[in-house]
Amino acid sequence: MNNGRVNPAMRLEDQGITGLGNVHYNLLVSQLMEKALQSGEGHIGLGGTMLVSTGKFTGRSPKDKHVVRDDVTEDTIWWENNTAMSEEGFANLKADMLEHMKGKEFYVEDLYANADKEHRLNVRMVTEFAWHGIFMRHMLRRPARVELDSFVPGLTVINSPSFKADPERHNCRSETVIALNLKEKLILIGGTEYAGENKKSVFTTLNYLLPEKGVMAMHCSANHAPGDTSETAVFFGLSGTGKTTLSADPNRVLIGDDEHGWDSKGVFNFEGGCYAKTINLSPDAEPEIFATTSMFGTVIENMVYDEDSLKLDFDDDSLTPNMRCAYPLFYIDNASATGVAGHPRNVIMLTCDAFGVLPPIAKLSPAQAMYHFLSGFTSKVAGTERGVTEPQPTFSTCFGAPFMPRRPEVYGNLLMEQIANHHATCWLVNTGWSGGAYGTGSRMPIKATRGLLSAALNGTLKTVAFQEDPYFGFEVPVEVPGIETDLLHPRDTWKDKSAYDEQAKKLVAMFKANFEQYLPYVDNEVKAVSIG
């Protein structure tokens, strides 16, 4: 039985997906919540939130993500970074998953990716869990109800957590599988309930499609000055570096918190919502995000709560440090209504330095920006991926290697062109440790980070003196009004200066070793600013 509003010529049957049980098309959030409760998928929380657990997997499974290798992808995918799946393996996976789905209840949400209509991608989400439908209604952009009557998917994502893959038959690694067939415009996900796989698979697809059109695809957040879309900033960074928190500034308009494109007109959001980490979330430091955790329909993922009062415990990470909330962008009072803005005047690259040796802010030349973008140094924070229990220093090119299907130079060259064409100022901002490495030092005060970012965005840093860092070569402000001077110079925050020097040298050596892979692909200007 089918119910809900859908293009009558584009039901699942028209896509060759037959024999299912009840299929619900484009239900509203309230209807999906009813279904989720009836199926025992979660509970209603304070304010009408949706409280859910993702079971065994509370983070992404990057080693189980595959791209089908065929005549379309053979010469366009960065195979050193993306695990191949054979065409035969995918065909078997598709057949077996569709057979597994027969007789079961499914939910279909027809949605848009990309706020810029010129680059819009129609995405059909087919989910076994009703709450996954809620999640994706938040994450992507919702068509008007009348637009559903003529909706034709350009990408279909099928997520069946109860399906277990067969590594030998499906040419994958384990029972968990995320398989992208870019030729068929079809993504199959099985064996994991973690909702983040849905949005990141769409993001990966866009990262493949948009560069062909000369559009820079970015793992970043973005905001602009009130009433001035020409004063835009983008914030690159992996999960845990502060992208969501720092871009949700009450004094600026939020464009989006995670995924954007940059074309000849400016910046546009891929998404229609936010997926924020809630560990240690504070109503004082992050009031806008905190407020969403008691708003109707917000998906509260893997959080401990009191069963009597339903009060959330933001400090209890016993389920996972990767606890999150997902909500529509319009839940943020100062969010952009359009999701589009002008060219960035400031490009911020966020890093979470577990060594504790990078300054809280440094100015980069365009060549240094290219270098740090390709390097993508940060620390994986606990819980973001399976098996990560404490910060691990890592290099994730383009600040998002798990989601980059093409070689990094494709994105790096696009970024460098955009920076040069639009005269953006670039900054490296460390939200990691100060006064010592992880375990000894302390996390960079968010108040100081916000203060330094404000100084960068409002032009205050144009008036201060800078000096070159002896280890890393970038420019560091000598003094900034309102910021403790010692904090600007990490060595001064360490009690043992020689220990700092040793840590700095260790990180320099890591930068040097990592960047050797890119030397054949970059010009002499970038080589000249290489660290080490």
Side-chain angles (χ1 to χ4, degrees):
M1 184 179 74
N2 297 326
N3 63 75
R5 191 159 186 171
V6 64
N7 180 348
M10 194 49 65
R11 299 180 184 273
L12 290 186
E13 294 93 324
D14 301 297
Q15 295 181 273
I17 304 171
T18 60
L20 276 60
N22 290 341
V23 178
H24 307 279
Y25 289 93
N26 296 302
L27 299 187
L28 303 177
V29 167
S30 56
Q31 295 170 311
L32 287 166
M33 290 182 73
E34 283 186 297
K35 292 294 183 182
L37 293 173
Q38 290 169 6
S39 302
E41 295 176 12
H43 303 279
I44 295 292
L46 294 176
T49 58
M50 188 77 225
L51 304 173
V52 297
S53 166
T54 61
K56 180 180 178 181
F57 300 141
T58 57
R60 290 182 293 102
S61 302
K63 294 180 181 179
D64 293 309
K65 186 175 180 180
H66 304 265
V67 177
V68 176
R69 193 166 195 157
D70 53 33
D71 57 343
V72 170
T73 58
E74 178 64 44
D75 298 323
T76 55
I77 294 292
W78 179 24
W79 292 115
E80 293 86 352
N81 183 63
N82 293 270
T83 304
M85 173 179 283
S86 67
E87 292 181 88
E88 180 185 6
F90 185 86
N92 290 338
L93 175 66
K94 179 180 176 181
D96 292 348
M97 183 175 285
L98 294 184
E99 183 64 29
H100 172 82
M101 292 166 63
K102 288 184 176 179
K104 293 182 172 61
E105 193 167 27
F106 275 84
Y107 304 87
V108 177
E109 293 294 327
D110 291 329
L111 303 161
Y112 295 141
N114 298 338
D116 188 326
K117 292 182 180 179
E118 180 183 350
H119 306 300
R120 176 176 287 171
L121 178 66
N122 290 3
V123 179
R124 168 164 282 183
M125 290 297 313
V126 183
T127 64
E128 186 175 352
F129 288 171
W131 80 262
H132 277 190
I134 301 171
F135 177 88
M136 290 307 291
R137 281 186 68 82
H138 293 340
M139 287 298 100
L140 294 182
R141 308 184 73 84
R142 305 172 187 176
R145 298 298 284 180
V146 68
E147 292 178 299
L148 296 173
D149 296 338
S150 58
F151 186 96
V152 176
L155 173 71
T156 299
V157 184
I158 301 176
N159 189 322
S160 178
S162 65
F163 177 82
K164 305 299 182 186
D166 179 338
E168 184 174 350
R169 176 169 164 78
H170 301 141
N171 190 216
C172 57
R173 191 187 74 98
S174 74
E175 292 184 340
T176 300
V177 65
I178 303 97
L180 283 68
N181 190 318
L182 296 167
K183 186 176 183 178
E184 291 189 24
K185 301 295 192 297
L186 176 64
I187 297 171
L188 304 177
I189 303 173
T192 174
E193 300 177 23
Y194 183 65
E197 300 289 9
N198 295 312
K199 72 171 239 128
K200 289 304 186 184
S201 65
V202 175
F203 179 39
T204 303
T205 303
L206 291 171
N207 285 347
Y208 181 78
L209 297 175
L210 290 176
E212 287 185 337
K213 303 169 69 175
V215 179
M216 174 59 185
M218 304 180 292
H219 186 211
C220 72
S221 57
N223 62 28
H224 67 76
D228 185 3
T229 57
S230 69
E231 205 286 271
T232 297
V234 297
F235 303 75
F236 287 100
L238 286 173
S239 177
T241 57
K243 284 198 324 301
T244 299
T245 297
L246 295 171
S247 55
D249 184 333
N251 298 312
R252 292 177 66 83
V253 177
L254 178 66
I255 304 167
D257 83 322
D258 196 40
E259 302 163 3
H260 293 80
W262 186 358
D263 68 0
S264 59
K265 302 185 297 295
V267 169
F268 60 91
N269 192 358
F270 288 174
E271 300 183 294
C274 301
Y275 189 35
K277 289 175 72 73
T278 55
I279 182 71
N280 303 134
L281 193 65
S282 161
D284 298 320
E286 300 112 340
E288 295 79 20
I289 300 172
F290 189 89
T292 69
T293 62
S294 58
M295 291 184 177
F296 177 79
T298 293
V299 175
I300 305 293
E301 194 179 73
N302 297 320
M303 285 194 68
V304 174
Y305 59 91
D306 184 276
E307 292 188 1
D308 293 325
S309 67
L310 298 180
K311 184 178 179 181
L312 299 172
D313 190 333
F314 294 89
D315 301 316
D316 188 338
D317 64 356
S318 57
L319 292 178
T320 175
N322 194 37
M323 57 180 78
R324 290 180 179 266
C325 64
Y327 50 90
L329 197 63
F330 58 79
Y331 277 10
I332 301 294
D333 288 339
N334 58 321
S336 167
T338 65
V340 299
H343 297 290
R345 289 187 186 174
N346 289 278
V347 173
I348 294 102
M349 298 183 184
L350 300 167
T351 181
C352 174
D353 172 26
F355 285 91
V357 297
L358 293 180
I361 195 166
K363 185 165 63 176
L364 306 175
S365 69
Q368 286 174 324
M370 172 76 159
Y371 175 86
H372 283 278
F373 181 71
L374 291 179
S375 297
F377 170 70
T378 189
S379 301
K380 291 180 182 178
V381 296
T384 304
E385 293 181 6
R386 289 159 50 191
V388 178
T389 57
E390 63 181 42
Q392 297 178 359
T394 187
F395 290 88
S396 185
T397 190
C398 308
F399 292 97
F403 324 117
M404 300 299 162
R406 296 180 182 270
R407 277 206 60 85
E409 301 82 35
V410 172
Y411 308 101
N413 288 329
L414 282 169
L415 179 65
M416 202 166 183
E417 288 173 13
Q418 292 286 48
I419 289 171
N421 291 341
H422 304 290
H423 311 291
T425 303
C426 301
W427 308 92
L428 183 69
V429 172
N430 174 27
T431 61
W433 275 259
S434 178
Y438 169 77
T440 302
S442 56
R443 196 76 189 259
M444 196 72 68
I446 190 170
K447 184 177 180 180
T449 301
R450 286 194 185 278
L452 288 167
L453 280 173
S454 294
L457 300 182
N458 66 27
T460 299
L461 292 189
K462 292 181 179 179
T463 66
V464 306
F466 284 79
Q467 65 184 30
E468 183 178 313
D469 185 279
Y471 287 107
F472 302 100
F474 40 51
E475 298 288 315
V476 179
V478 177
E479 292 183 337
V480 177
I483 303 296
E484 185 180 343
T485 301
D486 282 354
L487 193 66
L488 297 171
H489 309 282
R491 193 172 188 272
D492 294 340
T493 67
W494 284 54
K495 292 181 180 179
D496 186 341
K497 310 302 183 191
S498 62
Y500 170 87
D501 292 333
E502 287 302 311
Q503 281 285 80
K505 290 174 183 176
K506 181 189 293 186
L507 184 53
V508 165
M510 290 177 67
F511 265 103
K512 182 179 180 180
N514 174 73
F515 203 75
E516 287 179 358
Q517 63 184 304
Y518 304 119
L519 290 176
Y521 304 97
V522 299
D523 60 26
N524 290 332
E525 189 177 4
V526 177
K527 290 177 183 176
V529 300
S530 297
I531 294 172

